[in-house]
Every structure is written in C-alpha cells, then in structure tokens.
Amino acid sequence: MLRFKMLFKVTLKDMRENMKNKQISLVMILLPATFTIMIPLLLIVLPLKLMSHEDLLEAGMLVPGLEGAEAYLVYNWNTIILPFFVMVPLAITMSISSDSWAGEKERRTAESLLLLPLTDEELFLAKVLASLIPGLVITWACGITLTIIIDITMYPYLGYAFLPNASWLFHQLVLTPILAFFSIFINVWISYRSKDTKSAQQMGGLVFLVFIGFLVGGFLGVITLLTYVITLILGIIDIIFIYISPKVFSRERIMINT
Amino acid sequence: MKTVIEVENLVKVYNGKTSTVAVDGISFSIGRGRIFSFLGPNGAGKTTTVRVLSCLLKPTAGDAWVLGNSVKDNQVAIRENIGMLSENHGLYEKMTLEDNLNFFAGFYLDDKRTIEGRMAELLEEFNLSNRRHDKVGTLSRGLKQRASLIKTLIHDPAVLFLDEPTAGLDPKAAVELRKYITHLRDKMDKTIFICTHNLVEAQTLSDVAAIIDKGKIMRMGSPVELERDLFQSSSLRIESTRDIPVEMPRQIARELNITGRSEGKHARFFLPPGELDNLVPFIVKSLVEGGIPILEVAREEHTLEDIYLELMEREGNA
Ligand SMILES: Nc1ncnc2c1ncn2[C@@H]1O[C@H](COP(=O)(O)OP(=O)(O)OP(=O)(O)O)[C@@H](O)[C@H]1O
Ligand SMILES: [Mg+2]
C-alpha cells in the first residue's frame, strides 16, 4: 500500500523548492505568457484588426467552407496554436522533472532523501507528482485563459464562442495528462541516471521530438487524425512506464552515481 | 546483552568500469547500548559498510541485520529506527534550519508538539537556537555539521550511524559532541556505530573498535584488548635534541626484527616482552652512532594510535 500522506511530504517539499528555483519559475511564467497571450494576439487578434476587406476575403480561401475571420481563425488555430500548445505541458514538466533526482544529487541531499522510511515506489511516485501537479495545473490555467482571450476577441467577428470545442476539450483533458506523464517519466528517468541537472536537461530535450510530430500534423492538415494516433501511442507508453518504473527504480543506483 | 547490529560475511563490490571490492567479507556484532568504532584509512570501506547497514546499498554477498531486520528485505523497518549522520550534511541549503528539521522529523513523528519539543531541546544542546530561522546555506561548515546531527537525532532513533561525526568541528564542539555521544549511550541506551580516522575519539568513546583496511577487519576488540593483543610488549620512546631522520629508526628496527619509527625529535620502538635488556642498549647505541644525541629514553603506555600505525606499517611492509 502506498502511503500518500507520507510521500506527499516529499512532493510538497519539492514544489516549494521549485518555486524558488529561478530557471524553473522562469519557464513557468514565460511559457504560459507566450502561449496564452503573445501568440494569439500577434497571430490572430492584431492581424485581423489590420486586415482590409480584400485581405479577409482572401483569408477565407484558407479553409474550404468557411469565410473571412472565421476561416482565418480556424486555419491558424489548427496549424499553429493547437500544435504549439503541447509545448506548455511538455516544457513545464520537463523543466521540473529533469531536476527531480539530478538536483538532489547536485545539491548533495539525495542521501538524506533515500534514508527516509519510504519504499522505493513511494519515493519514485513522490517525485513524479511533484512535476505532474504543477504541470497539469499550469497547463489547464493556460487553457482557460486562452479560451477566454480567444472568445472575447473573436466574438465580434463570429457572433458565437469559438471555444471550447471538441478538439480543444480533447486536447486539454486527454492529451495534456498523457503528454505530461510521458514527459515526466522520461525526464525522471534521465534525471535519475544523470549526475546533474544540466546533463539531465540536455538528454531530456528529446521529448520535444513529440512536439515536432504535432507540428507536422498541423501543417499537413491532418491534425485530428495524427493527434489521435500520437495520443494513443503515448498513452500506451505511459501505461508501460507506470507499470515498470517503480520496479526498476533503486536507491543504490542513485547512491552510486552521485 | 541483545544484539542490535549483526553482520555476517558482508561483501560489497562496486561494479563500474573497474570493479572495486570495497567491503571484503566482514563479520561482527554490536550489542544494545554499545558504541562501536570503525577505524581505518581513507578508502578502507567504512562508509560503504554504513551505507549497506542503512539500506542505501545492497550487499553483494553475505547479510546484515539491524534490530533483527535483514537489510535485504526489511528496509523500511530498518530506516524507521536509525539515524544517520553522513559525510554530506544532507540538509536543503535554501530552506531554513527549522523547515529542514520539520521536514525530516515529519516522516517519523506525527505530533507537531513532540517535534517542536525535540527540536528546541536539540537546538539548545548544539547551540543553534539563534540560527533556527536562518537558511542552512548561510551556516558555516561546522554549524552545518551540528545542524546535520540534529537532523540525525530528531526522531530519537534507537540506532545511530555517525560517519566522522567530529569532522569539521572546532575542538570545543568536538569535545562536547563526544560527551553527548557518551550520554546517548549511557542515559538513552542508544546503539552507536561511529566511523572515524580519529584515534583519540575511538579510544575514548568506543566499547569495541574494529580496525578496517582494504575492506577487511584487521583487529577487533575493546581498546584495552586491542592494545594487549597487539603489544604484549612495551614501547620505547626516545627523545633527541635533533630531528631524527625517518629512515634511521626503521633501519635499526629491521635489524632487530621489530618495528620502529620517528616523528620529528622522537623515535618510538615496539619491543617484544622480556627483551628490554638486550634491545634497549642496542637501539641507543645505534642511534648515538648514527649521530643522534639522546636526551631521554622512556617506556610508554600504548595508545590506539600506536596500534593503528603499527598495523598499517606491517601492512605496508608485507
Ligand atoms: N560510488 C562508488 N563507486 C565506485 N567505487 C566506490 C564508490 N564509493 C566508494 N567506492 C570505493 O570503495 C572503497 C571504499 O570506500 P569508502 O567510501 O567505503 O571508504 P571510507 O573508509 O569511508 O573512506 P574515507 O575515510 O575516505 O571516508 C574505495 O576504494 C572507494 O574508492
Ligand atoms: Mg567515508
């Protein structure tokens, strides 16, 4: 039986520490600001304001069956904003989880943590939660903010609230947790095997390959199909990770490569 | 006397690019309320042994039990009952001392008031009450060491592992700590395992000391037994007005098939029992002939230091 009350003490300690970590807090502020405010304003709101009537007619050609501002919004939403938004859960969880074990080793506190009367599974899970909770909370907060910004700025053009729609809900409620888990598992593992945070981050950058998949999908115009396929594959990988990780995790490994 | 720590043919090999046998088949047992010292040079395997006993490393072969729990399959039960002072202080530097202690204590004690009580008492004992709200990163090395001791003791564990407890402490703090360690044994019935290079420490504190080198226990016993066992003999201390070259006493000792060494203006020889009459004149004569003026010749009691250096010397010659 996992003793959540005990392992949560480690999670809380980590979350407090991370808020004081400059690099992590920078990612947690800059990334949401970019994806929820900067990109929609620069890509959609401002250009629409500056477009002439002819420009809008031309924009209508972007998406068959739609016209003007709506076509422009849907095109940019599907090819750019939505694929880029996967960066939010990926980068936040990566910045936190690459520090999870490597940071303890670097600051020479790993041994104290390993001496605690927790099982290996509990310790491993405590570190996963310390990335998962902020990763999900921040991504969802960004999602809600983006929804509000898009709806308020686009209502005058569309006459209805564009968000939330089905693909956005899927993105937030299904894809986000799956992506977050994926990034955390990979990065906690890399962190566990690295000597310090820097080398953990270099390796951990690999998770952004997933993001390229989404980007390509967006440009090919097959966003939905490819999204579902990638989500399914990542979901399966997550389940394998959840099953295997606590069994492979060992204190000795952390002690020996400190 | 109940056995609290039991070690049986323990082997620990580090498998890296090259494999290192850090602990090579050691066995011993420690009774309740005893202080056991592990004495040995750098890289002897002291820390490795303690890490196996505290379930941070798995034994390669053999087994060990702490309070009846095997390190192989009862790790959580062991961890709940031990306190470990490691080579690194292990505190979070960006957190205050108080937050650190609350964090660590919270895994063993539920009641906030109990934690607060113990914290206040230990902060007072180690003269850190006034630094309680400071970030650990702002403490000096010695203060961090004391803070780490509080972390080790805060949950009142039955078994303590202290890896070089007085390293980095000033002499006064070191003396006070040794007194406190004795108090923990005598008044609190704690079982204490100390790793040290400090021979005086081992001599004054331990009920049993083991000398370990290259992963093997060379000698084990009470400090008194160790002395008797190693030297049913006496030691001869010679003082000169001049520095004695290091090679000279060794040379003389070799001729007599005994051991000897020098340190500045002193030379020291270990004599087998009953041969004082033959050997002393020869040693004095050889030194004088070697141009060393002699100020004093005296017989001396052995210290653990003698035993240790003697053992290492024999090891080196072998
Ligand atoms: N993580 C590790 N990986 C590989 N070898 C190691 C590791 N830790 C220790 N060793 C080796 O194991 C041997 C014993 O080391 P250990 O740290 O137990 O010695 P020690 O007696 O505590 O020494 P010191 O007095 O310097 O603290 C040494 O040869 C050391 O190099
Ligand atoms: Mg050591």
Side-chain angles (χ1 to χ4, degrees):
Chain A
M1 266 310 289
L2 291 167
R3 294 165 298 171
F4 278 93
K5 204 180 145 210
M6 291 267 273
L7 71 89
F8 215 68
K9 289 179 205 278
V10 175
T11 307
L12 267 178
K13 185 275 297 171
D14 269 22
M15 294 202 295
R16 284 210 193 99
E17 263 195 311
N18 289 337
M19 281 197 283
K20 290 183 201 152
N21 180 318
K22 283 200 194 82
Q23 201 184 353
I24 293 176
S25 32
L26 203 68
V27 172
M28 293 202 288
I29 293 167
L30 279 187
L31 212 70
T34 309
F35 287 93
T36 58
I37 301 169
M38 292 251 297
I39 293 189
L41 284 184
L42 292 179
L43 198 73
I44 297 176
V45 181
L46 264 178
L48 276 177
K49 279 249 178 320
L50 298 174
M51 277 182 192
S52 63
H53 188 67
E54 289 83 53
D55 292 336
L56 264 180
L57 279 180
E58 207 170 300
M61 320 254 269
L62 286 169
V63 184
L66 293 179
E67 285 183 1
E70 189 174 17
Y72 184 78
L73 170 65
V74 169
Y75 179 78
N76 282 299
W77 177 263
N78 284 344
T79 55
I80 299 177
I81 298 185
L82 210 50
F84 266 96
F85 196 84
V86 303
M87 283 280 278
V88 178
L90 281 180
I92 289 174
T93 51
M94 175 188 153
S95 72
I96 299 174
S97 50
S98 60
D99 190 66
S100 60
W101 284 109
E104 301 274 359
K105 292 183 205 176
E106 208 174 298
R107 296 187 278 276
R108 301 178 180 280
T109 46
E111 188 173 351
S112 305
L113 209 56
L114 299 179
L115 281 165
L116 293 174
L118 295 170
T119 63
D120 291 356
E121 288 89 343
E122 287 164 341
L123 214 43
F124 182 80
L125 185 60
K127 287 288 186 186
V128 168
L129 288 179
S131 304
L132 186 69
I133 294 169
L136 289 182
V137 168
I138 294 174
T139 308
W140 285 333
C142 284
I144 292 169
T145 314
L146 185 59
T147 303
I148 294 171
I149 289 179
I150 293 283
D151 281 345
I152 289 179
T153 55
M154 294 307 293
Y155 193 84
Y157 296 95
L158 309 178
Y160 69 95
F162 179 67
L163 297 174
N165 55 29
S167 66
W168 183 229
L169 284 176
F170 174 80
H171 203 285
Q172 290 288 296
L173 299 179
V174 181
L175 182 58
T176 291
I178 286 179
L179 270 179
F181 258 117
F182 177 75
S183 160
I184 291 167
F185 277 123
I186 299 232
N187 281 295
V188 167
W189 271 113
I190 293 172
S191 185
Y192 159 82
R193 300 174 68 103
S194 312
K195 273 202 173 59
D196 52 53
T197 306
K198 207 173 255 162
S199 41
Q201 282 168 342
Q202 281 162 3
M203 282 285 289
L206 287 175
V207 296
F208 289 114
L209 288 177
V210 173
F211 157 68
I212 293 172
F214 285 97
L215 205 61
V216 170
F219 279 118
L220 290 176
V222 287
I223 177 79
T224 40
L225 182 63
L226 200 70
T227 306
Y228 293 140
V229 172
I230 297 178
T231 307
L232 184 69
I233 294 172
L234 294 181
I236 293 170
I237 296 177
D238 283 354
I239 292 169
I240 296 173
F241 270 135
I242 291 174
Y243 187 72
I244 297 177
S245 294
K247 294 194 170 64
V248 184
F249 178 83
S250 94
R251 280 164 146 90
E252 169 143 347
R253 175 75 204 226
I254 295 172
M255 282 310 300
I256 286 181
N257 71 9
T258 39
Chain B
M1 186 183 72
K2 268 181 72 187
T3 303
V4 171
I5 296 175
E6 183 82 50
V7 175
E8 215 175 86
N9 298 320
L10 186 70
V11 177
K12 180 65 199 176
V13 180
Y14 289 107
N15 285 312
K17 276 178 203 124
T18 57
S19 62
T20 312
V21 184
V23 172
D24 195 1
I26 61 174
S27 304
F28 57 87
S29 59
I30 307 175
R32 190 185 159 101
R34 292 305 174 98
I35 297 179
F36 179 92
S37 308
F38 234 18
L39 195 60
N42 295 129
K46 304 182 293 293
T47 299
T48 304
T49 306
V50 165
R51 285 184 174 164
V52 172
L53 289 174
S54 54
C55 309
L56 292 170
L57 299 174
K58 295 197 174 86
T60 309
D63 204 346
W65 294 263
V66 177
L67 294 162
N69 302 298
S70 163
V71 296
K72 285 179 175 166
D73 43 41
N74 262 332
Q75 289 106 342
V76 175
I78 293 178
R79 287 189 198 114
E80 273 166 356
N81 291 294
I82 62 172
M84 162 103 139
L85 178 76
S86 318
E87 288 176 335
N88 302 316
H89 64 77
L91 298 166
Y92 292 93
E93 302 230 338
K94 289 191 179 154
M95 282 160 54
T96 64
L97 180 51
E98 180 178 34
D99 287 348
N100 264 287
L101 296 174
N102 270 323
F103 171 67
F104 288 108
F107 291 89
Y108 307 88
L109 305 168
D110 274 332
D111 181 37
K112 282 214 167 66
R113 249 184 296 154
T114 317
I115 296 179
E116 174 51 41
R118 284 206 49 86
M119 194 189 305
E121 187 187 310
L122 288 165
L123 284 168
E124 199 55 42
E125 176 65 41
F126 292 101
N127 288 321
L128 276 170
S129 300
N130 58 337
R131 306 302 296 265
R132 178 182 183 135
H133 301 292
D134 291 355
K135 294 218 167 94
V136 168
T138 67
L139 302 180
S140 73
R141 186 178 124 116
L143 296 183
K144 280 178 191 161
Q145 176 80 353
R146 285 195 241 162
S148 183
L149 262 157
I150 301 181
K151 176 204 140 210
T152 306
L153 297 167
I154 191 138
H155 53 291
D156 200 21
V159 182
L160 289 164
F161 295 101
L162 308 176
D163 200 344
E164 298 175 35
T166 52
L169 295 186
D170 64 53
K172 181 164 167 278
V175 168
E176 282 171 8
L177 176 58
R178 285 186 202 126
K179 225 188 269 167
Y180 190 74
I181 292 174
T182 317
H183 162 84
L184 285 173
R185 171 192 59 189
D186 298 341
K187 298 278 154 24
M188 321 277 284
D189 208 22
K190 304 291 182 203
T191 306
I192 305 170
F193 187 130
I194 300 177
C195 299
T196 183
H197 309 123
N198 187 321
L199 295 138
V200 180
E201 192 161 295
Q203 172 121 11
T204 52
L205 285 181
S206 36
D207 298 297
V208 179
I211 298 177
I212 178 171
D213 189 29
K214 302 193 181 87
K216 288 198 161 80
I217 291 182
M218 317 282 295
R219 284 289 190 288
M220 183 158 53
S222 71
V224 174
E225 277 167 359
L226 278 181
E227 286 162 42
R228 209 184 311 130
D229 168 37
L230 260 176
F231 308 102
Q232 295 152 336
S233 58
S234 38
S235 125
L236 190 69
R237 184 173 166 281
I238 294 173
E239 191 180 344
S240 170
T241 52
R242 201 180 291 164
D243 276 354
I244 304 171
V246 179
E247 258 316 299
M248 193 178 288
R250 288 218 183 119
Q251 189 83 41
I252 298 169
R254 216 170 293 140
E255 276 176 51
L256 296 171
N257 214 8
I258 59 175
T259 52
R261 62 171 190 278
S262 71
E263 221 173 84
K265 295 189 170 65
H266 304 285
R268 199 176 258 244
F269 294 87
F270 300 103
L271 311 178
E275 299 206 37
L276 239 50
D277 291 354
N278 305 331
L279 298 179
V280 176
F282 182 85
I283 292 170
V284 173
K285 187 170 136 250
S286 309
L287 281 170
V288 171
E289 279 171 8
I292 303 296
I294 289 178
L295 197 63
E296 189 183 82
V297 177
R299 255 181 91 174
E300 280 217 330
E301 289 293 313
H302 292 297
T303 61
L304 205 51
E305 183 168 10
D306 299 327
I307 300 173
Y308 179 79
L309 292 174
E310 161 83 2
L311 263 179
M312 293 303 139
E313 187 115 324
R314 285 187 198 170
E315 208 28 35
N317 292 341

